[in-house]
Amino acid sequence: IYGLVGVCIVLLYRMAAVVNFSQTFGPAFAVFAMTDLVDIHGLGMWTSIVLAIIIGTAISALQGYAMARLFRESNVLVRSTVSMAMAISLFAITVRVFHDTNRFFPALFNSLSVKIVDHLLRRFAEQVAS
């Protein structure tokens, strides 16, 4: 998801000549929605993740459309101001909808564990011993 957000920021910079950090608030809203879908509405984890990706994509697409189409002829100051206004607005909407309570983020893979350090230490000890 971070990679996709980075690509969106670069694309918008190329199209609008402004780094639009408000693009990060769409995925943040989607993550909060995912936690509510799992905890409050009882949906499955993977269903909630797919819905969150759709929500985040829709928000980011609307932001991109606004910046690329509605403000493409505006100067850098106007585009920067719009970007900041979108960021503040999405932050306010996220706090208003989801409040400022702590969230539970369930583990995607409960049984998955990787012990890299143990494996590396064992190999190192074998090499030192030989």
Side-chain angles (χ1 to χ4, degrees):
I1 291 177
Y2 290 122
L4 291 174
V5 171
V7 169
C8 288
I9 289 172
V10 169
L11 284 174
L12 279 174
Y13 175 75
R14 296 276 188 182
M15 292 175 7
V18 172
V19 176
N20 186 358
F21 287 108
S22 68
Q23 285 286 338
T24 59
F25 287 96
F29 184 92
V31 168
F32 280 109
M34 186 269 304
T35 60
D36 273 5
L37 290 171
V38 170
D39 290 341
I40 296 172
H41 302 290
L43 287 176
M45 170 65 77
W46 292 104
T47 304
S48 299
I49 289 172
V50 169
L51 290 173
I53 289 171
I54 292 169
I55 291 168
T57 302
I59 292 170
S60 295
L62 288 172
Q63 288 179 301
Y65 179 81
M67 288 301 290
R69 294 285 189 187
L70 302 176
F71 298 100
R72 104 177 117 207
E73 301 297 326
S74 302
N75 63 27
V76 174
L77 181 63
V78 170
R79 289 190 304 255
S80 298
T81 304
V82 169
S83 174
M84 287 183 268
M86 283 194 292
I88 292 168
S89 298
L90 273 171
F91 177 74
I93 290 169
T94 303
V95 170
R96 186 76 164 157
V97 170
F98 299 108
H99 311 292
D100 60 349
T101 58
N102 292 335
R103 299 282 170 186
F104 168 72
F105 291 91
L108 290 176
F109 307 102
N110 290 331
S111 62
L112 180 68
S113 66
V114 179
K115 294 185 178 182
I116 296 172
V117 174
D118 290 343
H119 177 69
L120 292 176
L121 287 175
R122 204 171 310 127
R123 285 185 71 191
F124 178 73
E126 289 171 359
Q127 288 178 352
V128 170
S130 58

